[in-house]
């Protein structure tokens, strides 16, 4: 382990920031979804880094849990997007305002 | 510069560059393919950190599951025959300012913290340790995750149905 822990943490911080930029700026709901996956991945990377540098395997177990929840989230989110697309024929998030009045 | 460093920089560059292209590319299908490279890069870094089982699970779940699901979403929700597969951006400037501030603060915290590091020996295979913990100490969470996945499956199927 010659690489300092900061390198990994900064890598995942940058990845998270790129994901946040995507969520804030993109219009297509599926691209927003991809950016949420990026953010989840960077959080997982942080957990694995801590787990590895602390010599404790529990961090890897939590990454496993996060992945399971992410898979469930992706399935339900895609179903919601498809249901919205069927009703509104668009998935641009600035054109979907059915909760606004 | 050892081989270890070179591998780290290689995978970090792959991850960051393709993450950048996921956000900036205007074509959704291209963004999905760049996301594939991001997942591969993260997998490489997991292997580098000695998390072998999690790396394999990452490949199976993300590349084999979530990415395919996303590409199916693109296929269903875009009128492929028309040129509607490109998308634009909104609120670019406020997002850039806010995220820049956020990244600066997080980076400063990371660089100024005294990290307590345990000198671990060579990485060993984590599979048996993980399996043992999963079925003894964390068995309740494991079962709850199974129920969560079942509920998500049923919910997704009933929502996407007519």
């Amino acid at each position: 382990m010659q690489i300092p822990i900061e390198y990994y943490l900064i890598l995942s911080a940058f990845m998270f920031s790129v994901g946040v930029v995507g969520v804030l700026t993109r219009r297509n709901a599926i691209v927003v979804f991809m950016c949420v996956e990026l953010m989840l991945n960077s959080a997982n990377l942080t957990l694995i880094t801590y787990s590895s540098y602390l010599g404790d395997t529990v961090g890897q177990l939590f990454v496993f849990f996060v992945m399971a929840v992410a898979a469930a989230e992706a399935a339900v989110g895609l179903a919601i997007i498809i249901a919205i697309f069927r009703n509104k024929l668009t998935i641009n998030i600035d054109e979907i305002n059915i909760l606004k009045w | 510069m050892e081989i270890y460093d070179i591998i780290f920089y290689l995978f970090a560059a792959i991850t960051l560059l393709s993450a950048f292209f996921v956000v900036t590319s205007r074509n959704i299908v291209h963004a999905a393919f760049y996301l594939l490279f991001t997942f591969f890069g993260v997998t490489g870094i997991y292997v580098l950190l000695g998390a072998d089982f999690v790396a394999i699970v990452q490949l199976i779940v993300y590349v084999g599951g979530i990415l395919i699901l996303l590409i199916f979403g693109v296929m269903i929700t875009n009128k492929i025959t028309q040129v509607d597969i490109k998308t634009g951006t909104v609120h670019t400037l406020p997002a850039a300012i806010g995220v820049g501030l956020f990244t600066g603060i997080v980076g400063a915290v990371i660089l100024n913290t005294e990290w307590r590091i345990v000198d671990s020996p060579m990485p060993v295979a984590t599979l048996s340790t993980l399996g043992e913990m999963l079925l003894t100490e964390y068995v309740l969470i494991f079962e709850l995750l199974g129920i969560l996945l079942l509920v998500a499956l049923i919910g997704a199927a009933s929502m996407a149905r007519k």
Side-chain angles (χ1 to χ4, degrees):
Chain A
M1 296 282 174
Q2 287 89 9
I3 300 172
I5 186 171
E6 286 90 352
Y7 286 24
Y8 290 104
L9 293 179
I10 284 178
L11 170 65
S12 89
F14 272 121
M15 226 173 118
F16 189 85
S17 304
V18 171
V20 175
V21 169
V23 169
L24 289 178
T25 59
R26 296 309 300 266
R27 286 176 67 215
N28 191 297
I30 291 182
V31 182
V32 170
F33 235 72
M34 291 179 195
C35 297
V36 171
E37 298 298 335
L38 271 184
M39 288 156 72
L40 279 167
N41 251 288
S42 78
N44 281 352
L45 183 57
T46 312
L47 278 173
I48 294 269
T49 307
Y50 286 141
S51 146
S52 172
Y53 277 82
L54 213 58
D56 193 345
T57 337
V58 181
Q60 299 185 18
L61 209 61
F62 271 82
V63 169
F64 193 62
F65 297 153
V66 170
M67 278 179 186
V69 176
E73 170 251 331
V76 175
L78 253 301
I80 291 173
I81 288 176
I82 288 169
I84 288 177
F85 181 76
R86 192 178 291 136
N87 287 326
K88 312 276 286 183
L89 286 182
T90 180
I91 49 168
N92 284 351
I93 50 177
D94 52 348
E95 291 166 34
I96 300 165
N97 48 10
I98 48 178
L99 286 181
K100 202 161 115 186
W101 55 290
Chain B
M1 196 114 162
E2 288 181 47
I3 187 97
Y4 209 77
D5 301 279
I6 296 170
I7 293 172
F8 171 75
Y9 287 121
L10 182 70
F11 280 118
I14 290 175
T15 309
L16 276 184
L17 273 180
S18 51
F20 185 73
F21 284 128
V22 169
V23 174
T24 52
S25 76
R26 299 185 58 81
N27 190 320
I28 311 176
V29 181
H30 291 180
F33 273 102
Y34 286 123
L35 197 64
L36 173 75
F37 288 109
T38 312
F39 289 153
F40 272 126
V42 173
T43 308
I45 289 175
Y46 285 174
V47 173
L48 208 59
L49 283 167
D52 48 356
F53 180 63
V54 175
I56 298 297
V57 172
Q58 160 101 0
L59 270 191
I60 294 172
V61 171
Y62 275 101
V63 178
I66 292 178
L67 201 61
I68 300 295
L69 209 61
L70 282 170
I71 291 176
F72 262 93
V74 175
M75 188 185 82
I76 292 170
T77 58
N78 276 286
K79 295 148 248 173
I80 304 278
T81 48
Q82 300 156 26
V83 197
D84 202 27
I85 208 159
K86 297 193 190 316
T87 58
T89 57
V90 286
H91 315 306
T92 312
L93 190 65
I97 294 171
V99 173
L101 274 176
F102 171 77
T103 313
I105 292 171
V106 172
V109 169
I110 288 171
L111 291 177
N112 288 323
T113 308
E114 291 277 328
W115 298 105
R116 190 169 66 90
I117 290 169
V118 178
D119 240 355
S120 54
M122 280 300 286
V124 290
T126 55
L127 186 53
S128 61
T129 328
L130 279 179
E132 216 166 273
M133 278 198 292
L134 209 55
L135 286 181
T136 55
E137 209 175 331
Y138 294 90
V139 69
L140 181 64
I141 306 177
F142 186 58
E143 299 287 340
L144 282 177
L145 275 180
I147 295 173
L148 174 79
L149 284 174
L150 178 68
V151 171
L153 194 69
I154 296 171
S158 75
M159 233 185 304
R161 222 184 44 187
K162 239 207 160 53

